Amino acid sequence: MKMHRHRQPYACERDVYKRLAENDLVQVLGLNVPQLIRWDDEALVIEMTIVARPYVLDFAAAYLDWPPDFTDEVWAESEARWRDVYGEDWALIRRLMDEFEAMGIYLTDLHPGNVAPSA
């Protein structure tokens, strides 16, 4: 169960999980994705399944249906940082981002706590 303090990240995460459920996704490129169980728009609470590594989770900072309005420089800096963090797993992470973008989900909060490509 995840409780949010603010409506915008709650709504974004809820809507991403709804989109994943609509597509019957339990994995993307071999990474497990939690399944949405229920949500409460008044309490800003999302209940989802627990997943084991490898996984991708936490979509509160994602963008839905349009990419963030970041400059090319900001994207380049972010990708350079992510490349350093993920090392040899970077190619998989880049493909994962592409898979999510094909569904209209733009990931922006990439770190091993949210996207863990190995067990």
Side-chain angles (χ1 to χ4, degrees), residues 20 23-28 30-35 51 54 56:
L20 295 171
N23 288 293
D24 295 320
L25 290 176
V26 296
Q27 286 188 342
V28 177
L31 280 75
N32 298 311
V33 178
Q35 303 303 290
V51 294
V56 57

Side-chain angles (χ1 to χ4, degrees), residues 69-91:
D69 189 22
F70 296 161
T71 65
D72 290 342
E73 182 179 296
V74 168
W75 273 118
E77 289 173 5
S78 295
E79 286 205 11
R81 185 176 62 252
W82 296 332
R83 189 177 298 111
D84 287 343
V85 166
Y86 285 104
E88 64 186 42
D89 288 325
W90 171 243

Side-chain angles (χ1 to χ4, degrees), residues 3-87:
M3 300 175 70
H4 290 265
R5 291 182 183 177
H6 304 285
R7 185 157 301 281
Q8 191 280 329
Y10 160 78
C12 181
E13 188 154 39
R14 177 203 61 206
D15 292 348
V16 168
Y17 277 117
K18 282 181 174 182
R19 170 110 12 119
L20 295 171
E22 290 167 3
N23 288 293
D24 295 320
L25 290 176
V26 296
Q27 286 188 342
V28 177
L29 296 178
L31 280 75
N32 298 311
V33 178
Q35 303 303 290
L36 180 64
I37 297 172
R38 67 181 66 89
W39 63 92
D40 183 323
D41 289 338
E42 289 183 30
L44 306 180
V45 173
I46 298 171
E47 184 178 0
M48 68 204 81
T49 60
I50 296 172
V51 294
R53 287 178 173 237
Y55 59 69
V56 57
L57 46 83
D58 194 350
F59 300 100
Y63 285 69
L64 194 59
D65 294 328
W66 66 87
D69 189 22
F70 296 161
T71 65
D72 290 342
E73 182 179 296
V74 168
W75 273 118
E77 289 173 5
S78 295
E79 286 205 11
R81 185 176 62 252
W82 296 332
R83 189 177 298 111
D84 287 343
V85 166
Y86 285 104

